[in-house]
Amino acid sequence: MSAVAIAPAVMDELADIVGPAHVLSDPEITAGYAIDWTRRFAGSTPLVVRPGDTAETAAVMGVLAAAHVAVVPQGGNTGLVGGSVPLAGEAVLSMRRLAACEPVDELASQVTLGAGVTLTDAQAHVAASGLSVGVDLAARESATVGGMVATNAGGINVLRYGAMRAQVVGIEAVLANGTVVSHLAGLEKDNTGYDLGSLLAGSEGTLGIITRVRLRLHPTQPERATALLAFRTAADAVSAAAALRRSVASLHALEAVFDGAMALVSEHLGVTPPVGTLGDGAAWLVAEAAARTDPSDELGAAVAELDDLLVDAAVALDPGSRQRLWAFRENVTEAISAAGIPHKLDVTLPAARLAEFTDGVADVIRAVDRDARPLLFGHLGDGNVHVNVLGPGGSEPAQEVDGAVLHYVAELGGSISAEHGIGTAKLSQLHLNRSEAELAAFGAIKRALDPAGLLNPNVLLP
Ligand code: FAD
Ligand code: MLT
Ligand code: ZN
């Protein structure tokens, strides 16, 4: 949909609040805010506003609400479900300038960060205190703390620390009418009513604009051992993942790359995997242990116990060698994006149905689009599989692929969104996981906080 014109008086009011340099309307400049990372979702916008702090965000929302202008909040624009871009001519509220890092509270092991702080900057800020952010993901250089809370981002360490919601001990947000709600004390025990941080986590910009977040931090585990493990079949990798979860107390990440995705990322990187053979339905795990003292014996002993399941293993201890193993997992998304515009289906399966799914999903996809190319990878330790699907020559696959995979997931008792959210991409499938009563409750919450429906109106709620 083309961008809706905004009255000059409204533009002037906004410029008075944030400064003219932060009210953008030149289509050449705003175009970059209107297309998502995958290039699958693109729209246009009449206006990008870049507030610098909470007070400016509140004042901007007051003006936009009075003018009945719908808004898409945007952080690093690395979201993968089309939720961060204006698809129906909405204004974009870019939160990247809220980039203040407050001093680390070492007594509490917590920190308060502006919503626009990138994950890389957050990690660097807390590192000197011997502390770490509990969520890590490959988009760390661009993804913002606000966006990560809004999507309840997962990433590679969920099996140890939980997803983003589990890190939030305090939140500040601006509601649709410009009201500021702030609860940032970070008290570990605080049963004084509804938990707005939990509610806003995973709300995908539909309930409020997150301006500051107080995060729980974790002691850094500096000693690391990383293994790349090769298996003959996806089912063997799934069984091995379950065994490693049971036996490695210091397990920090347990990731998977299945055959098609491994072939693609290897070609993209120009290197073959050091273990295993491409092209025969094989699968790989990246297992990382992290502790205060060297965890390599613990990981090594657990790997040795995998016996017949395992074809071969490469273990790395120093940062450079570990990074070379991680490259086969961390660069999959980039490799797929270089090959075309995928449909990204991010799902969780119950442990008991995981192998059945990884074995069966390619047939489900090819039954509706025989030319589609399924590429599987993900956070296997959490039961989270990323099913990416490309069409011939890197084109998009048939739209029916999405429904077929998500129905299959629901039939097996899984979740149609593990960590990326619903966005616009999965809006029409939310009923597969949520009952009418739940959706009615979601609608009631939305109407209470955003009665005019101005915040991300085309996201999450059908
Ligand atoms: P955006 O993309 O800008 O926005 C995402 C959503 O949050 C939108 O709905 C938007 O409206 C809303 N939003 C943004 N900021 C705010 C705010 N301040 N207040 C209210 N709403 C807001 N995700 C994972 O979970 N795990 C991964 O392992 C992972 N790896 C990735 C790897 C790559 C290479 C890429 C490109 C993406 C990856 N992602 C992953 C997806 C993405 O990085 C996350 O969803 C991230 O949390 C988005 O943060 P962002 O700042 O870019 O948010
Ligand atoms: C990942 O785990 O690499 C991300 O969630 C990105 C993706 O799904 O492509
Ligand atoms: Zn992921």
Side-chain angles (χ1 to χ4, degrees), residues 395-412:
S395 60
E396 289 190 43
Q399 183 58 41
E400 292 73 27
V401 162
D402 298 28
V405 173
L406 300 180
H407 273 89
Y408 182 45
V409 168
E411 267 165 44
L412 297 182

Side-chain angles (χ1 to χ4, degrees), residues 108 114 226 254 296:
T226 307
L254 184 53
S296 53

Side-chain angles (χ1 to χ4, degrees), residues 37-38 78 80 136-139 154-156 255 329-334 336 342 344-346 377-379 384-388 419-420:
W37 192 90
T38 65
T78 65
L80 298 173
D136 191 18
L137 42 81
I156 58 178
E255 301 283 307
R329 167 63 182 90
E330 283 228 308
N331 291 290
V332 172
T333 302
E334 187 186 289
I336 292 172
K344 296 181 91 65
L345 303 162
D346 153 47
F377 60 105
H379 314 283
N384 179 183
V385 185
H386 294 313
V387 181
N388 282 211
E419 56 173 13
H420 296 161

Side-chain angles (χ1 to χ4, degrees), residues 18 235 298 383 446:
V18 298
E298 189 191 20
K446 169 74 174 172

Side-chain angles (χ1 to χ4, degrees), residues 41-89:
F41 301 99
S44 63
T45 182
L47 170 70
V48 176
V49 193
R50 294 165 34 89
D53 60 22
T54 305
E56 287 186 9
T57 308
V60 166
M61 281 311 299
V63 170
L64 293 177
H68 305 288
V69 175
V71 172
V72 174
Q74 189 179 92
N77 198 13
T78 65
L80 298 173
V81 286
S84 54
V85 286
L87 298 178

Side-chain angles (χ1 to χ4, degrees), residues 270-298:
V271 278
T272 47
V275 290
T277 311
L278 288 167
D280 60 355
W284 287 258
L285 292 179
V286 177
E288 181 156 283
R292 308 288 287 181
T293 54
D294 182 3
S296 53
D297 285 350
E298 189 191 20

